[in-house]
């Protein structure tokens, strides 16, 4: 099991997207639940706690993915087997995409109110 | 019905977005096709080292495969996506509120009254003020429909059990087509709505007229009696004498309110134009004109009675 | 093996060939129903899919005839509604997915150097489910009882109140039946690709096509269960009145839309990925150089596979969901442009750096590129929410989706057909007829659908059976119809070409396109066992690096080149490195898949006819048949009674603890878990969103009973895990007794759970709360029963000597089920008992 944690294992080709997916489900579900439990007043437009919360989650996830991307590059540099190096770089690319994707998908909080 | 023949704010922003996107799309598509065909037309490529090949590949993939789509979608997200804000029902006390309910296969339109006033109810004809935002509060009585006035802006589904609000503006007075945008069964095709935008004053007058009208008007007693016997359990006419209603059906189906039917431009949600005698014709042949519609056939009622009912209904205009 | 070739081989090798042919023989006549070999089953999938394509195409022509002129009365509105519903349904469910599965089933073992898929009987079973389900569904057209609610069957239109006929039932039952075949193909393709590659084919040396199919198969496994769940719930609503989607009872029609599109959007990519895989296979061959940026393509595939699950709501932009939530889905829909762009530019740069030749298959690839790029661009437009509101459900969308699906799937499929035809038949197709059919289909397609974008922008909705001349749509519709008929002429020519080539095509050389793939090292037409000996490969381009491979394989100079043991064998290799870990012995021809599928068809028909008691009996018969099938495994006389292998070879997989069977069980649980999560999603969704949801103040369920059942389950799992740990040390003392004990605990769990359900005051036809609760509890009850029953059978098998220290794999497989049950049971308890109790009822 321990070898699964090393960033040279091919499982990490998908782990960046899994994190992205979990974040995506979390913000979509969180938004839906928040809007049905405690919808903010519509006068506040996008300046609501929900937008701020989603924004913080987005930034934190992006930071995590960026760090993982960088760590994968480092692991790829250190790897001895060609295969390990290969998968580390591949994962680094996917982590980077996931980081960009997180930021991109989270961006609409700056121009839309949450529950309308 | 054309989305490109714009008559309102929301439709206009989409009109420009469409042409801009089309222009970019054509350039991108032609570029890709040209590259593709050029790779086949070329003479022998020069010999390259694997390192050079790698550099060329990276240039293509980073440029075409990443930079191009990233730039395009960033532009879309930052500039085009916020254009939907205009249709948000952000708080605006002035916005006129009109309720529209979808039915299989007709439209119920309600103008909610102030406190104590009764709602004005009509069907298959929507009159709205021009030059100001109108909030349409929409829902459905049976299956999912969609409320769509193509020349004014995008559509919104009418979902049973839910209400949603869409804000549309008509630039100036005019007549627009509207149609059900979500497939809703046998007669989805014939679920059209006649939309009229009027100047504010005309609109107020129109609404006032309807709010004021009280009675079923004059008709010969035979027509009223027949209506009470055959029609009144599904259809309402404002002020229709209660004692004439024979309600012997057990059903959940409701037909359009007929209080001002004489003033409506079409019958059967856009199937027939309203002219003299059209209602009687519709009453007799509606299952051939609009097969499957929810009104039962009238084979058991003789033509004279139908004509009497039709003639009386045509007088119903405030 | 042809005779002239035979003459050049030594007697030993001739003996080997003859032995292989005997062990892998396909029976003829009625016995053909027992065939399980992937080559035969794959071919059956493809031919059946092609027949359904023709039926779907015929329906499309009916649609175009009706719409050719305004106010046309060629068809009544009722018939038209059935026709367009069935066109979409047949094309999506009976053509696109199955035929691509057929291609994958046929090609994958040949490309990765295996002799068959890991679960051959499952392939055959899947095929019969597909065939029977398809026939049942299409037969509804003959009775004029076809579904008429559109291919996405939105409730409440498709529910009992508004579609009282049998149409919706045909759809729900038929499609669910067909989806069994998709899931079974998905599971075994995943395991085959990961675990049966030939020696040395490490994960990063796989052909790109295998990566595409791996992604597709995993997406099927995760993506189909939401629709299966939705179909079960809707059928329950129609049959018994449980109000899952009915507002008054606390349900919500939007839940159906979510479940449908949770499946429906990934499905588009499930269709596109194999198409792109074919393109990625063909382009390097005709560019005469290896693909550049292999890693980029793999990354793009992985990204597409995941992101495509994050955009289902873009089919629901008009449903009145808050704009911010829509914006998330809009943005993630746009993200897909990036992996698509990467693939297109990898293909372009491969051509740029190669010396491309324009052969017939490449013509179809060019057609793919043009059409798919256009479809992709309109796709990005549609991802923009405000624009989508304007054109949603108009002919613009119809045009877009045909560009994506026909461009992304049909054109690559035909490219692949022309490319692999010589492999299938040993003959070359006609270049001239092929070109004619290409241009007819290509031009016909664009004539039909390019103008249709415009018709949609002019306000023409989809699914209208006629239109008024005053709208100004006449000319555009007529053009579309003419194009449609042009396209069908092209299809007719294509069929003619393929049919003629079997008779008149010239004989194909060993490697007609000078390709790099391992499949071209096979005899043509293929033998059921593919390769007499399985080569060790270190390269992504076996035939370019070693052109002598076909001969050395034929001469039996590579691995697994013995047959006297009488087993069907292939390598079980390490998922990562491709190093052989086991010798996988594959089951031979069997009647069980056919009869099991037949029994399920009877279940399906009984449900359609609303003969519920009979359906129950047929379900029991099907279960018995399936269990009887599972009996012939491991050390059973019809499987592998003799464990000896050639010296130096790894052990038989049934003699290890981590064979492909364990992987297949894990992948099946991925599908099962997806079904369970969809159910939980439904529960929480209705709880938070449904307008009329009613939940009682205190839970109707008895905690002591549920907790006791959970404890029985936990004890059983722990005990079974202990037994497996001992098996790992080759110690099987007390195995049978232990298994019986665990079976008893499973029975106890089932009994307690059954009691809890029975004594709970549930009114499932009154409220969606009770209905969902009941379905969830029945789901865990079925699993509890299955867990107990399988342990009981394992105990019996120990007695027969089929399972034990020497053949320890099956208890490991069963243990996976128990682990799954454990997780599902306790999480369900938290969701339906603990959370409602903590948060309080009435919402």
């Amino acid at each position: 099991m321990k070898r699964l944690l090393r960033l040279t294992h091919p499982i990490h080709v998908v782990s960046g997207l899994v994190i992205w997916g979990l974040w995506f489900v979390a913000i979509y579900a969180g938004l839906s639940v928040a809007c049905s439990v405690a919808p903010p007043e519509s006068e506040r437009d996008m300046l609501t706690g929900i937008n701020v919360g989603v924004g913080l989650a987005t930034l934190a996830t992006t930071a995590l993915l960026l760090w993982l991307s960088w760590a994968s590059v480092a692991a790829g540099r250190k790897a001895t087997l060609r295969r390990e190096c290969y998968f580390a770089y591949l994962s680094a690319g996917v982590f980077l995409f996931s980081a960009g994707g997180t930021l991109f998908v989270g961006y609409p909080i700056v121009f839309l109110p949450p529950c309308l | 019905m054309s989305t490109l023949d714009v008559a309102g704010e929301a439709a206009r922003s989409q009109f420009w977005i469409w042409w801009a996107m089309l222009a970019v799309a054509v350039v991108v598509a032609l570029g890709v096709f040209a590259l593709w065909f050029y790779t086949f037309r070329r003479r022998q490529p020069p010999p390259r080292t694997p390192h050079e090949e790698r550099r060329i590949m990276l240039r293509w993939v980073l440029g075409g495969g990443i930079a191009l789509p990233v730039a395009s979608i960033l532009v879309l997200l930052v500039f085009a996506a916020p254009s939907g804000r205009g249709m948000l029902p952000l708080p605006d006390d002035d916005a006129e509120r009109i309720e529209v309910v979808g039915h299989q296969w007709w439209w119920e339109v309600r103008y909610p009254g102030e406190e104590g006033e009764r709602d004005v109810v009509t069907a298959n004809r929507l009159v709205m003020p021009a030059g100001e935002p109108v909030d349409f509060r929409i829902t459905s009585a049976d299956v999912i429909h969609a409320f769509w006035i193509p020349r004014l802006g995008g559509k919104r589904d009418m979902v049973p059990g839910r209400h949603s609000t869409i804000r549309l503006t008509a630039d100036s007075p005019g007549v627009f087509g509207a149609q059900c945008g979500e497939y809703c069964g046998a007669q989805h095709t014939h679920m059209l709505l006649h939309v009229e935008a009027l100047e504010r004053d005309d609109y107020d007058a129109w609404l006032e007229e309807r709010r004021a009208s009280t009675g079923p008007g004059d008709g010969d007693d035979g027509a009223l009696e027949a209506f009470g016997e055959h029609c009144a359990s599904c259809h309402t006419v404002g002020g229709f004498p209660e004692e004439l209603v024979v309600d012997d059906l057990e059903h959940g189906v409701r037909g359009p309110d007929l209080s001002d039917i004489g003033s409506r431009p079409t019958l059967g949600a856009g199937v027939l134009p309203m002219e003299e005698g059209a209602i009687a014709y519709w009453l007799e042949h509606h299952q051939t004109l609009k097969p499957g519609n929810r009104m039962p056939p009238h084979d058991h009622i003789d033509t004279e009675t139908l004509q009497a009912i039709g003639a009386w209904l045509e007088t119903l205009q405030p | 093996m042809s005779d002239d070739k035979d003459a050049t081989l030594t007697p030993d090798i001739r003996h080997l060939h003859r032995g292989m042919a005997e062990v892998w023989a396909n029976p003829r006549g009625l016995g053909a129903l027992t065939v399980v070999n992937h080559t035969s089953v794959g071919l059956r999938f493809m031919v059946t899919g092609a027949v359904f394509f023709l039926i779907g195409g015929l329906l499309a022509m009916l649609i175009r005839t009706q719409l050719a002129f305004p106010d046309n009365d060629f068809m009544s509105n009722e018939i038209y509604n059935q026709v367009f519903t069935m066109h979409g349904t047949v094309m999506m469910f009976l053509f696109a997915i199955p035929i691509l599965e057929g291609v994958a089933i046929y090609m994958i073992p040949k490309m990765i150097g295996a002799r068959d898929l890991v679960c051959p009987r499952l392939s055959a079973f899947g095929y019969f489910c597909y065939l029977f389900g398809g026939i049942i569904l299409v037969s509804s057209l003959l009775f004029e009882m076809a579904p008429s609610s559109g291919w996405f069957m939105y409730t409440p239109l498709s529910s009992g109140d508004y579609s009282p006929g049998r149409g919706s039932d045909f759809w729900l039952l038929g499609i669910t039946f067909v989806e069994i075949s998709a899931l079974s193909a998905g599971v075994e393709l995943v395991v085959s690709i990961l675990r049966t590659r030939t020696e040395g084919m490490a994960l990063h040396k796989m052909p790109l096509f295998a990566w595409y199919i791996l992604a597709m198969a995993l997406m099927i496994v995760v993506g189909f269960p939401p629709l299966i769940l939705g179909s079960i719930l809707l059928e329950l609503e129609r049959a018994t009145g449980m109000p899952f989607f009915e507002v008054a009872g606390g349900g919500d029609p939007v839940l159906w839309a979510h479940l449908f599109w949770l499946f429906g959007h990934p499905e588009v990519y499930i269709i596109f990925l194999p198409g792109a895989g074919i393109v990625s296979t063909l382009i390097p061959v005709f560019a005469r150089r290896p693909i550049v940026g292999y890693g980029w393509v793999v990354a793009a595939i992985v990204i597409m596979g995941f992101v495509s699950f994050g955009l289902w709501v873009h089919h629901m932009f008009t449903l009145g969901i808050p704009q911010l939530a829509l914006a998330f889905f809009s943005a993630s829909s746009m993200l897909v442009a990036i992996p698509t762009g990467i693939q297109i530019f990898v293909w372009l740069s491969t051509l740029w750096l190669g010396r491309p030749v324009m052969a017939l298959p490449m013509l179809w690839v060019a057609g793919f590129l043009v059409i798919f790029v256009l479809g992709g661009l309109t796709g990005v437009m549609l991802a923009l929410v405000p624009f989508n509101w304007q054109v949603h459900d108009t002919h613009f969308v119809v045009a877009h989706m045909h560009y994506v699906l026909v461009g992304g799937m049909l054109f690559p499929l035909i490219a692949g057909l022309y490319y692999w035809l010589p492999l299938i038949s040993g003959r070359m197709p006609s270049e001239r007829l092929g070109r004619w059919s290409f241009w007819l289909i290509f031009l016909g397609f664009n004539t039909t659908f390019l103008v249709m974008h415009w018709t949609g922008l002019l306000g023409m909705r989809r699914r209208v059976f006629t239109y008024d001349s005053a709208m100004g749509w006449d000319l555009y519709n007529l053009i579309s119809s003419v194009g449609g008929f042009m396209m069908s002429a092209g299809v007719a020519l294509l069929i003619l070409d393929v049919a003629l080539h079997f008779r008149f095509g010239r004989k194909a050389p060993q490697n007609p396109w000078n390709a790099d793939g391992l499949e071209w090292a096979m005899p043509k037409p293929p033998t059921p066992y593919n390769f007499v000996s399985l080569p060790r490969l270190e390269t992504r381009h076996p035939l370019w690096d070693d052109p002598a491979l076909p001969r050395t394989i034929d001469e039996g100079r590579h691995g697994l080149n013995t047959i006297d043991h009488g087993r069907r064998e292939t390598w079980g290799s390490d998922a990562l490195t491709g190093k052989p870990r086991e010798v996988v012995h594959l089951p031979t021809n069997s009647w069980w898949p056919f009869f099991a599928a037949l029994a399920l068809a009877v279940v399906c028909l009984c449900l359609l006819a609303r003969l519920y008691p009979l359906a129950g009996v047929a379900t029991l018969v099907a279960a018995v048949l399936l269990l009887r099938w599972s009996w012939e495994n491991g050390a059973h006389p019809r499987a592998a009674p003799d464990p000896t292998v050639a010296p130096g070879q790894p052990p038989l997989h049934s003699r290890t603890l981590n064979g492909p069977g364990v992987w297949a069980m894990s992948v099946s649980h991925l599908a099962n878990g997806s079904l369970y999560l969809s159910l939980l999603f439904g529960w929480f969704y209705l709880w938070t969103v449904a307008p009329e949801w009613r939940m009682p103040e205190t839970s109707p369920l008895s905690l002591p009973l549920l907790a006791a059942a959970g404890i029985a389950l936990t004890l059983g799992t722990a005990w079974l895990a202990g037994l497996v740990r001992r098996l790992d040390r080759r110690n099987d003392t007390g195995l049978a007794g232990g298994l019986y004990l665990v079976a008893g605990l499973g029975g106890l769990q089932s009994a307690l759970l059954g009691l809890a359900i029975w004594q709970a005051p549930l009114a499932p036809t009154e409220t969606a709360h009770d209905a969902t609760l009941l379905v969830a509890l029945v789901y865990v009850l079925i699993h509890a029963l299955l867990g107990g029953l399988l342990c009981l059978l394992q105990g019996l098998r120990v007695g027969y000597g089929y399972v034990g220290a020497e053949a320890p794999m099956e208890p490991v497989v069963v243990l996976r089920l128990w682990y799954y049950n454990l997780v599902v049971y306790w999480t369900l308890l938290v969701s339906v008992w603990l959370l409602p109790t903590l948060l309080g009822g009435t919402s």
Side-chain angles (χ1 to χ4, degrees), chain B residues 136-184:
Chain B
F136 294 97
R137 192 157 182 269
I138 59 180
T139 187
S140 163
D142 36 48
V143 306
I144 300 178
H145 303 275
F147 175 69
W148 186 31
I149 314 176
R151 294 181 58 198
L152 298 191
K155 63 182 72 61
R156 182 68 66 84
D157 287 2
M158 314 172 103
V159 183
R162 293 178 178 218
H163 295 268
S164 70
T165 308
I166 175 173
R167 177 170 295 175
L168 293 170
T169 313
D171 295 336
S172 52
V175 173
F176 318 110
Q179 45 191 352
C180 173
E182 179 69 56
Y183 175 68
C184 57

Side-chain angles (χ1 to χ4, degrees), chain B residues 3 53 155 157 162 182-183, chain C residues 148 252 289 318 392 457:
Chain B
T3 62
E53 289 194 335
K155 63 182 72 61
D157 287 2
R162 293 178 178 218
E182 179 69 56
Y183 175 68
Chain C
S148 61
D252 188 356
R289 62 151 296 133
T318 62
H392 174 74
L457 284 169

Side-chain angles (χ1 to χ4, degrees), chain C residues 631 720 723 732 734-744 787-804 810-811 814:
Chain C
W631 192 253
L720 188 58
L723 291 176
D732 63 0
L735 181 61
L739 284 166
Y740 288 136
L741 177 69
V742 178
L789 192 59
L790 288 185
C791 272
L792 186 67
L793 288 178
Q794 286 301 313
L796 286 174
R797 287 174 70 80
V798 175
Y800 279 94
Y802 301 157
V803 169
E810 290 170 42
V814 176

Side-chain angles (χ1 to χ4, degrees), chain C residues 200-266:
Chain C
M201 190 186 274
L203 199 58
H204 62 298
K205 297 275 167 69
M206 276 199 316
L208 272 178
F209 187 75
W211 276 106
Y212 279 102
I213 297 299
L214 180 61
M216 166 193 98
L218 278 168
M219 289 176 69
I220 287 180
V221 165
V222 181
F224 274 54
L227 179 59
I228 294 180
L229 176 77
S231 303
I232 292 172
L233 296 186
L234 184 52
E235 187 55 36
L236 279 174
E237 179 178 304
R238 289 178 57 88
T240 68
M242 296 185 180
F244 299 105
F245 306 110
E246 197 190 299
V247 176
D252 188 356
V254 180
L255 175 62
W256 168 267
H258 275 293
L259 291 175
F260 186 89
W261 291 117
L262 253 172
F263 145 83
H265 197 84

